[in-house]
Amino acid sequence: MDEEPERAKRWEGGYERTWEVLKEDESGSLKATVEEILFQSKRKRVIESHGQVRLGMMRHLHVVIDCSRSMEDQDLKPNRLTSTLKLLETFVDEYFDQNPISQLGLITTKNKRAEKLTDLAGNPKKHAAALKKAVDTVCLGEPSIYNSLNLAIQTLKHMPGHTSREILIILSSLTTCDPANICELIKTLKSLKVRVSVIGLSAEVRVCTVLTRETGGSYHVILDESHFKELLMLHVKPPPASSSSECSLIRMGFPQHTIASLTDQDAKPSFSMSHLDSSSAPGLSLGGYFCPQCHAKYTELPVECKVCGLTLVSAPHLARSFHHLFPLQAFIESPVEEFQEDRFCQACQGELKDKSIFTCPSCRSVFCVECDLFIHDLLHCCPCCIHSQSAP
Amino acid sequence: MKDVAFIELKTTGHGVLEMPSGTGKTISLLSLIVAYQKAFPLEVTKLIYCSRTVPEIEKVVEELRKLMEFYSKQTGESNNFLALALSSRKNLCIHPEVSALRFGKEVDGKCHSLTASYIRAQRHSTPDVPVCRFYEEFDAVGRQVPLPAGIYNLDDLKDFGRRKGWCPYYLILHANIVVYSYHYLLDPKIADLVSKELAKNSVVVFDEAHNIDNVCIDSMSVNITRRTLDRCHTNVDTLQNTIQKIKETDAAKLKMEYRRLVEGLKEANVARETDVYLANPVLPDEILKEAVPGNIRTAEHFVGFLKRFLEYLKSRLRVQHVVQESAPQFLKDIFDKVCIDRKPLRSVSATLSYFYSFTIIIEPFEDRTPTIANPVLHFSCMDPSIAIKPVFQRFQSVIITSGTLSPLDIYPRILDFRPVTMASFTMTLARTCLCPLVCNYPQTHTFKNTLTLTLVDSVIRNYGNLLLEMSAIVPDGIVAFFTSYVYMENIVASWYEQGILENIQRNKLIFIETPDAAETSMALEKYQEACENGRGAILLSVARGKVSEGIDFVHHFGRAVIMFGVPYVYTQSRILKARLEYLRDQFQIRENDFLTFDAMRHAAQCVGRAIRGKTDYGLMIFADKRYARADKRGKLPRWIQEHINDGSLNLTVDEAVQLSKHFLRQMAQPFRQEDQLGLSLLTLEQLESEEMLQKIAKIAHQT
C-alpha cells in the first residue's frame, strides 16, 4: 500500500528501472500475482502479531553487513552499500526507539573475513557514527557467513539466557567463502538459541534458507528499495521469545536525573562513567543520572552500570517497550461502499477515497489506509479511544 | 485434490501425452488406470509401466504406494493389488556368489550358467553340477504360489526372495502392476524372457519416452568390432573342439547336443551377438518354423559355416575405406565371396528378413582418432517401429508420455502407429516460475567439415561473458549445456586463455562433465555439495550426455540452465545419414525437420532439468539466435513456449541480466501453499464446483 508513491517515483531510477517497469506492464499478471502475495503476507503479519505471545523484550542483535564486491552493484541507488547503510541508520534509530532496553552491534564481512564495526551497545549514536564512516569502505572479495556468525556468537553466547540473541545478515553476494562446513555452525547456533534472519539483496540462496529455517529466523529477498526498507523495519519489532528461554526477575535501577544548578555552591563537575573508556568526549559535567546502588554517574540511559552491573533505565523506556506486549487491535477492513455516514477519516479528516476503510473495533471510528498504518506502526493507540476516555 | 490433468482415455487405443515434469504426471496416470482397473477388472488386467532408469522406477513404485495408501484410507478396505518393480539380474540377484560380481554382463552370464535348462538337465544325471538354489526353490514351489498382495520395490522383492529362498528375478507372476525398464518390453533379447506371457488386455505406459525411437533402434542394432570377432573365433574353436571330443566319445549324444545347438544357438554361443536374434518375438513364426537348411544341419557343417561367415566378416573389417550398403547387397556379397546362401543365414540371423530397414556400415576408423585403425561394422536398424510394433499390436492400449514430446505428431509417424489421443498439457501456475530467455548470438559454427568447428573468437567471449554475468546474479547452481564434448573442451580452453574462467571462479566453482561416468558422478557430487553450502557452482555438461538425461536439478541445484548452441546430432555420422535417408524415403520426413526435432527435444530435455515441480523455479537461457526462429520455437514443448514472449527474444547479455535479476527477486518472495489454492491446486469442493467442471471440459475439448 505504502509502496504506491515510491513506485510513482521510479522515473528517477535511470534507464534500467524504466525497462523493468515496462516489462511488468507487458505481462501484468506476473506483477499482480506477486503483489497480491506480498499484500497477503503483510496482512498476515498484522494478524500474527496480535496473538498472545511472550516477546523477547531485551534483545541482543548483531547486524552483519556484507561488504563484498557485489555491494558495488548499482541496482540500488547510488549503490547497494550506500543505500544499505542509509537504511540501516534509520533502522538503528527505530530499533532503539522501539526497544530501549536492547543492545545492538555491527559486523562487516568482506574478503573472506569478518570484522567488528561496533560492539554490542545500547547507544544509537555510536552505531550511527560508525555507519556514516563505513560509507567509504572499499568493497572487495567474497563475504564469509561462517566467519561473521562465528564472530557474533563470541559475544552473544555470554549474554544472559532471558534475553533474546539475534543476528540479522544483510547479504548482497550469492556466494559465501567459508573455512569450514557451515552445517556444523548452524547446529551450534541452534543449540545456543541464536535466531538468524537474512535479508537478501539479490536472490534466494539455499544456505540462507536452511540457516534461517533451522534457527527460526526469517528470510526475505528485496524487490526494490522501498521493499528493502519495509523488510528492515520488520526486524524492529521484538520477536516472540522461545518458550524454553529462561524466565527470571531482573534487577533494574531507575536513576533520577539530577541537575545541579550552577548557583549551587556544592555542585562539583564530575566524570561520567561511560566516558571512562572513550577518550574523545569531554568528560566533565554537572548533572546526570546516578546509579541508585553505587552512585556512579552516567549522562545517558539506558546503560549497564560499570561498577555494580545494574541495568539502568528510565520509566519511559520501559513504557515504550510496553506496547509490544499489549498491541493495538487490528482495525476491521471493509469496502467503502458499505459505509453510509460522512466519508471522512477520523484522524486526518481527509475524504475516504480508497476502496476500503478501517474501523476501530472498540470505538467504531473510521480511518483511511494511511492513518491505519500510522496508528498501528507509530502511535500504538487509537486516538479516538483516548479522546473519549479522557473526556469527562 | 490433484492437479488439473484430466485425460479422456479410451482404454482401447494408443495415446501420446505431453505433460511438464513435476506436475504429477506419474500419479495422475497411475490413479486413472488403477481406478479403471478397479471399475472394470475384466477389461484391464494389468498395467505395465516402463520407465528409464532404476531411480525412476523406484520413484514410480513410491508414488504407487502412496496411491494405494490413499485408497485404503478412503475406502477403508485393504485392496488386493500386487505391484512389482523389476530390474536387471544385477540389481535383483540374491545368490551370494553371483551378486558379488560387479558387471551386469557377468551376473547375467553366471546366472545363466546356473539356471539354463540344459545345465539343470545335466544336474539330473550328474548331481555335482552347481545350480542356483534360489531358482530351484522357485521352480519347485514359487511358480504356483502367488505373492501376497502389496507394493514391492526392488529391495522389498529382494527381501521377500531371501525370506522365501526364491529367486526374485523370476518372481514376476500375476502382478496387477509391473514397473520396469523399457528394455524388458522392447529389446527382443530380454522381452522374450520376461514379457512373453503378459496378457493382451494390459495397459502399457512408456514414461520419459522422448527417446523411445532411439531405444528401439538401439535394441535392434548391433555393432561388431574386431574384438567381438576374435572372441567369436575362440568360441567357435571351443565349439569345434567340444564337438570333436563328443564325437569321439558318444555319437548319439552328439546328435542331441547338436539339435539343441541349432534350436537355441544362444546357449552354445553367447558371444555371437547376432545369433541371439533367434529369440526374437518380432520374427514371423514361419521363418522360425522353417526347416533348418540342409547345409547347416550337421555339426561339422554348421561349425564350418560359422567359420566361413566369421572369416567373411573379418575380411570385411579389413577395409580401409568406409562402406555402406543395404542388407540385400550385403547378402549378395556374402554369397559371392564365401558362397553362403541367404536362406541359411536367415535361419541363423533372421533379423535379416527385415532387410529393407537395415543398413550395414563398415567404418575403418573411429571419428576421434582418424589415424588408428579400429574397424567397426555397424549393423544398424533404421526403423524404430520394428521393435515397438509387437507392443502396439499386442496390448490394447499403449501410452507414450514425457515432459518433452513436442511436436506430438512426429512420434506416431516414426513409430508407425495411430494414436487415439494426442495431448499436450501445460502447467497451471500460481506464479510464473520459469523464465525462458533467448540471447542473440549468431550461429557459431558450421558443420561443413568434419570436426573443424569454426569457432569465432568473439562468440566464445560472448558466451564467456554471459556465463560470467549469470554466475554473479544467479544463486547456487547453474547448469550449462554445450553441444558436444569437443566443443566444450575448445571453449573452456579459450576461456582459460582469456581469463574468463578465473573471473567466473570468483563467483562460483566450476565442474565439468566428462565421458567418464565415475568422474562425472564425482563432479556431480561435489557440485551438489557446493550448492548446498552456499559456495555456488557451475556444472558444464553436454547435451545428450548423462547429466542431460537422467539427473534432476531440483530447486537450488539448478536455478538456471544455459544452453549454448543448438544440440544438433553429429550430422556426419554415417548411421545418422542412413537413417535420415530412410526416414525421407519411408515416412516422408524431411532431413531438416527430423534434425531440428531431434535437437529441440534434447534442448527441451536439458532446460527442463531445472524445473521439477510447481514450487521450483528456474531460468532457461537459450544462448543462440536460432532459437528465436519460428521453426525452432514451435518445436519446444507447449509449457515452455507459453512463456516465451517477444520481450524475451533476442536479448543482449545486459538485457538478459536485468530480466534475470528481476525474475529471481520475484521468485524469492515467500510462496505458500494457500497461494496456489484455486489456481493450480484444487480442494474437493472447488473441484466439484460447476465453474471448474466447465473449465475442465473446455480443456478436454481443446485437446
Side-chain angles (χ1 to χ4, degrees), chain A residues 15-16 19-20 23-24 26-27 29-31 33-34 37-38 40-41 44 69 73 75-76 80 142 174-178 181-183 201-207 210 219-224 227, chain B residues 430-432 470-476 503 505-508 531-536 555-556 559 617 645 647 651 654-655 658-659 661-672 674-675 679:
Chain A
Y15 87 94
E16 297 147 308
W19 170 252
E20 276 173 31
K23 191 228 147 207
E24 278 173 5
E26 270 173 19
S27 55
S29 64
L30 179 134
K31 190 182 146 192
T33 27
V34 171
I37 291 167
L38 274 180
Q40 274 173 12
S41 75
K44 200 185 168 195
R69 197 157 27 93
D73 204 314
D75 55 358
L76 299 175
R80 283 184 185 176
E142 298 96 9
L174 293 170
T175 159
T176 156
C177 208
D178 297 337
N181 193 353
I182 199 158
C183 301
L201 300 191
S202 29
E204 181 191 357
V205 181
R206 177 68 178 185
V207 74
V210 175
Y219 183 28
H220 295 284
V221 175
I222 64 160
L223 286 173
D224 49 34
H227 189 222
Chain B
R431 57 171 192 180
T432 332
M470 284 299 157
S471 73
I473 60 155
V474 176
D476 301 326
N503 285 331
Q505 265 174 326
R506 272 200 244 157
N507 295 326
K508 291 194 190 305
C531 292
E532 200 68 63
N533 65 23
R535 184 66 184 87
H555 294 287
H556 58 291
R559 281 289 180 231
Y617 63 88
N645 49 18
L651 304 169
D654 284 352
E655 286 163 348
Q658 281 307 327
L659 281 178
K661 259 189 183 173
H662 193 79
F663 170 76
L664 288 168
R665 281 196 179 148
Q666 297 274 10
M667 286 302 115
Q669 300 311 313
F671 183 64
R672 291 180 313 273
E674 55 258 42
D675 297 329
L679 273 171

Side-chain angles (χ1 to χ4, degrees), chain B residues 18-37:
Chain B
E18 180 184 66
M19 271 191 257
S21 43
T23 51
K25 180 174 51 197
T26 313
I27 192 81
S28 329
L29 275 175
L30 282 177
S31 46
L32 187 82
I33 296 169
V34 167
Y36 201 91
Q37 237 173 331

Side-chain angles (χ1 to χ4, degrees), chain A residues 81-102:
Chain A
L81 182 73
T82 324
S83 171
T84 307
L85 293 177
K86 224 165 73 195
L87 285 175
L88 272 179
E89 269 180 58
T90 48
F91 171 75
V92 168
D93 279 348
E94 198 76 5
Y95 176 83
F96 283 111
D97 191 50
Q98 306 270 319
N99 309 282
I101 48 176
S102 303

Side-chain angles (χ1 to χ4, degrees), chain B residues 303-579:
Chain B
V303 173
F305 163 78
L306 280 183
K307 273 186 148 175
R308 245 178 343 178
F309 185 59
L310 209 57
E311 281 310 315
Y312 168 73
L313 287 181
K314 270 192 175 170
S315 74
R316 290 303 301 265
L317 277 186
R318 243 170 258 136
V319 289
Q320 290 298 311
H321 55 98
V322 179
V323 182
Q324 174 178 357
E325 56 191 18
S326 65
Q329 273 175 321
F330 180 70
L331 290 178
K332 191 168 174 302
D333 193 54
I334 297 180
F335 184 69
D336 291 346
K337 293 239 175 73
V338 282
C339 305
I340 297 181
D341 201 359
R342 182 195 288 172
K343 217 169 150 199
L345 255 188
R346 190 158 68 177
S347 67
V348 174
S349 167
T351 338
L352 295 179
S353 59
Y354 282 103
F355 48 74
Y356 286 117
S357 357
F358 284 82
T359 305
I360 286 107
I361 296 167
I362 303 170
E363 281 181 303
F365 309 114
E366 245 185 273
D367 293 324
R368 285 168 158 269
T369 51
T371 45
I372 304 161
N374 182 18
V376 181
L377 187 147
H378 300 285
F379 179 71
S380 127
C381 171
M382 294 296 124
D383 190 352
S385 64
I386 291 176
I388 206 167
K389 203 194 240 153
V391 177
F392 281 124
Q393 279 172 353
R394 175 125 179 218
F395 301 110
Q396 57 172 343
S397 35
V398 177
I399 299 163
I400 292 180
T401 171
S402 171
T404 49
L405 279 178
S406 294
L408 286 177
D409 58 326
I410 209 156
Y411 282 90
R413 265 159 89 194
I414 55 177
L415 294 180
D416 197 21
F417 72 102
R418 296 230 345 255
V420 181
T421 36
M422 277 206 285
S424 172
F425 296 95
T426 62
M427 282 196 268
T428 329
L429 295 168
R431 57 171 192 180
T432 332
C433 71
L434 62 156
C435 180
L437 304 169
V438 181
C439 294
N440 65 345
Y441 301 118
Q443 190 166 336
T444 51
H445 43 78
T446 49
F447 287 104
K448 293 246 168 58
N449 295 324
T450 328
L451 293 180
T452 42
L453 305 168
T454 46
L455 294 168
V456 189
D457 230 25
S458 65
V459 171
I460 297 181
R461 198 169 298 129
N462 255 339
Y463 277 172
N465 272 338
L466 178 71
L467 193 62
L468 178 61
E469 294 288 333
M470 284 299 157
S471 73
I473 60 155
V474 176
D476 301 326
I478 299 179
V479 191
F481 287 102
F482 293 85
T483 47
S484 70
Y485 285 112
V486 187
Y487 187 50
M488 177 167 78
E489 276 162 26
N490 283 339
I491 288 194
V492 172
S494 13
W495 281 351
Y496 178 73
E497 280 162 21
Q498 291 167 355
I500 291 174
L501 273 197
E502 200 183 322
N503 285 331
I504 292 176
Q505 265 174 326
R506 272 200 244 157
N507 295 326
K508 291 194 190 305
L509 303 178
I510 297 176
F511 297 94
I512 296 181
E513 184 194 0
T514 60
D516 185 343
E519 246 175 59
T520 304
S521 56
M522 180 77 169
L524 211 67
E525 201 179 293
K526 293 286 163 203
Y527 167 80
Q528 288 174 342
E529 200 184 314
C531 292
E532 200 68 63
N533 65 23
R535 184 66 184 87
I538 295 176
L539 185 67
L540 304 177
S541 54
V542 170
R544 292 159 198 281
K546 183 186 166 214
V547 170
S548 71
E549 278 295 324
I551 288 150
D552 291 349
F553 295 97
V554 206
H555 294 287
H556 58 291
F557 292 131
R559 281 289 180 231
V561 179
I562 306 177
M563 188 77 232
F564 291 115
V566 183
Y568 281 115
V569 267
Y570 173 52
T571 40
Q572 292 309 103
S573 148
R574 282 173 193 89
I575 300 176
L576 181 77
K577 275 186 179 165
R579 189 168 166 210

